[in-house]
C-alpha cells in the first residue's frame, strides 16, 4: 500500500480526513434519510470502504467517494426496509383476517403462512424484493425493472429463481 504523506492510506492523513468530514457526512445522510443512528452507521461503513480501497482512491477524490458510497448504502438500506415493511404488513394483514373456517383449517393456514414467511425470508434480497413487488404490489416485470434499473430479462430470471426456491421449500402450492 502506498503510504506517502498525501495518500489516504497514510494513517495520519486518513484520521485528519475522517475528523474533518465525518460530521458533515453524518449530517448530510441524516438530512437525506431522517435517521441519526442509521446515518452514523452509514458514515462508519463509508469510511471503512474508503480505508479498504485507500490505494485506489486519491485524497482529492476521497470526499466525493465517501459521499457516493454513503448515499448508495442509504438508498440500498431504504429499499431493503421498504420491502421488509411491506412484507411485514402483508403477513400481519394475512394473520388478522377473520373467517368462519374450522379450527383445523385455521391452524393449517397459519402453519402454511409461517412456512411461506420463512421461505420468503430465506430468498436473497433481490429475489425477495422482486417476488414481493410482483406478487404483493402487483407490479409488472417492466415496472420492477424500471424501479431497479435493470433489464426485464434480469427481473424474469430473479423471479424464476425465487419461485424455484419457494417451490422447493413449500411445494407447488404457490
Amino acid at each position: 500500500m502506498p503510504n506517502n504523506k498525501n495518500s489516504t492510506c497514510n494513517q495520519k492523513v486518513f484520521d485528519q480526513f475522517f475528523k474533518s468530514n465525518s460530521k458533515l457526512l453524518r449530517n448530510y445522510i441524516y438530512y437525506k434519510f431522517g435517521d441519526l443512528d442509521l446515518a452514523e452507521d452509514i458514515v462508519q461503513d463509508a469510511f471503512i470502504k474508503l480505508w479498504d480501497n485507500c490505494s485506489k482512491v486519491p485524497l482529492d477524490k476521497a470526499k466525493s467517494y465517501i459521499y457516493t458510497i454513503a448515499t448508495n448504502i442509504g438508498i440500498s438500506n431504504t429499499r431493503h426496509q421498504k420491502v421488509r415493511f411491506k412484507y411485514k404488513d402483508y403477513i400481519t394483514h394475512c394473520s388478522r383476517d377473520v373467517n368462519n373456517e374450522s379450527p383445523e383449517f385455521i391452524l393449517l393456514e397459519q402453519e402454511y403462512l409461517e412456512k411461506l414467511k420463512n421461505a420468503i425470508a430465506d430468498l436473497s434480497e433481490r429475489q425477495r424484493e422482486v417476488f414481493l413487488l410482483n406478487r404483493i404490489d402487483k407490479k409488472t416485470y417492466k415496472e420492477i425493472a424500471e424501479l431497479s434499473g435493470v433489464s426485464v430479462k434480469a427481473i424474469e430470471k430473479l423471479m424464476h429463481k425465487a419461485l424455484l426456491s419457494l417451490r422447493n421449500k413449500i411445494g407447488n402450492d404457490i
Side-chain angles (χ1 to χ4, degrees), residues 1-14 59:
M1 255 194 249
N3 206 12
N4 66 27
K5 286 184 176 182
N6 293 324
S7 170
T8 51
C9 293
N10 180 308
Q11 183 69 45
K12 289 181 181 179
V13 172
F14 187 86
L59 187 58

Side-chain angles (χ1 to χ4, degrees), residues 55 93 96 98-99 126 132 136 139 149 155 160 167:
S55 63
H93 173 73
R96 284 188 191 157
V98 177
N99 57 35
R126 294 288 295 139
L132 293 174
I136 306 304
K139 299 274 187 212
I155 298 301
H160 177 72
R167 282 188 185 115

Side-chain angles (χ1 to χ4, degrees), residues 4-33:
N4 66 27
K5 286 184 176 182
N6 293 324
S7 170
T8 51
C9 293
N10 180 308
Q11 183 69 45
K12 289 181 181 179
V13 172
F14 187 86
D15 287 345
Q16 182 58 39
F17 182 77
F18 177 82
K19 287 174 186 172
S20 63
N21 288 285
S22 61
K23 188 174 181 182
L24 292 172
L25 179 60
R26 185 205 62 201
N27 290 344
Y28 170 78
I29 295 299
Y30 172 61
Y31 299 149
K32 189 166 185 72
F33 297 105

Side-chain angles (χ1 to χ4, degrees), residues 11-173:
Q11 183 69 45
K12 289 181 181 179
V13 172
F14 187 86
D15 287 345
Q16 182 58 39
F17 182 77
F18 177 82
K19 287 174 186 172
S20 63
N21 288 285
S22 61
K23 188 174 181 182
L24 292 172
L25 179 60
R26 185 205 62 201
N27 290 344
Y28 170 78
I29 295 299
Y30 172 61
Y31 299 149
K32 189 166 185 72
F33 297 105
D35 184 338
L36 187 58
D37 291 332
L38 175 66
E40 289 174 353
D41 290 343
I42 290 172
V43 168
Q44 292 299 317
D45 290 344
F47 276 97
I48 288 170
K49 283 192 186 265
L50 174 61
W51 182 253
D52 290 343
N53 294 302
C54 68
S55 63
K56 300 174 190 168
V57 182
L59 187 58
D60 61 333
K61 304 283 186 196
K63 188 171 183 176
S64 67
Y65 180 83
I66 60 167
Y67 274 76
T68 301
I69 292 296
T71 301
N72 289 343
I73 292 170
I75 290 169
S76 178
N77 186 279
T78 301
R79 184 174 36 194
H80 178 70
Q81 290 300 324
K82 187 176 176 183
V83 170
R84 286 183 59 211
F85 288 140
K86 286 182 182 180
Y87 174 63
K88 182 180 176 187
D89 289 345
Y90 170 72
I91 295 299
T92 303
H93 173 73
C94 287
S95 64
R96 284 188 191 157
D97 283 347
V98 177
N99 57 35
N100 296 324
E101 302 294 337
S102 70
E104 293 84 15
F105 179 83
I106 292 171
L107 181 62
L108 287 172
E109 184 181 43
Q110 288 173 343
E111 288 173 359
Y112 179 79
L113 284 174
E114 189 64 29
K115 263 173 96 173
L116 177 62
K117 182 175 98 173
N118 290 334
I120 291 173
D122 287 343
L123 293 173
S124 73
E125 181 181 334
R126 294 288 295 139
Q127 289 175 0
R128 185 173 46 250
E129 179 182 0
V130 168
F131 177 80
L132 293 174
L133 284 171
N134 179 257
R135 298 298 167 105
I136 306 304
D137 290 347
K138 304 298 184 206
K139 299 274 187 212
T140 65
Y141 289 172
K142 183 178 180 185
E143 291 171 327
I144 298 169
E146 289 171 1
L147 285 172
S148 301
V150 297
S151 70
V152 174
K153 201 70 169 161
I155 298 301
E156 289 172 357
K157 190 170 187 172
L158 284 167
M159 186 62 157
H160 177 72
K161 287 181 178 179
L163 290 172
L164 283 176
S165 176
L166 293 173
R167 282 188 185 115
N168 287 338
K169 290 182 179 159
I170 296 175
N172 289 326
D173 298 337

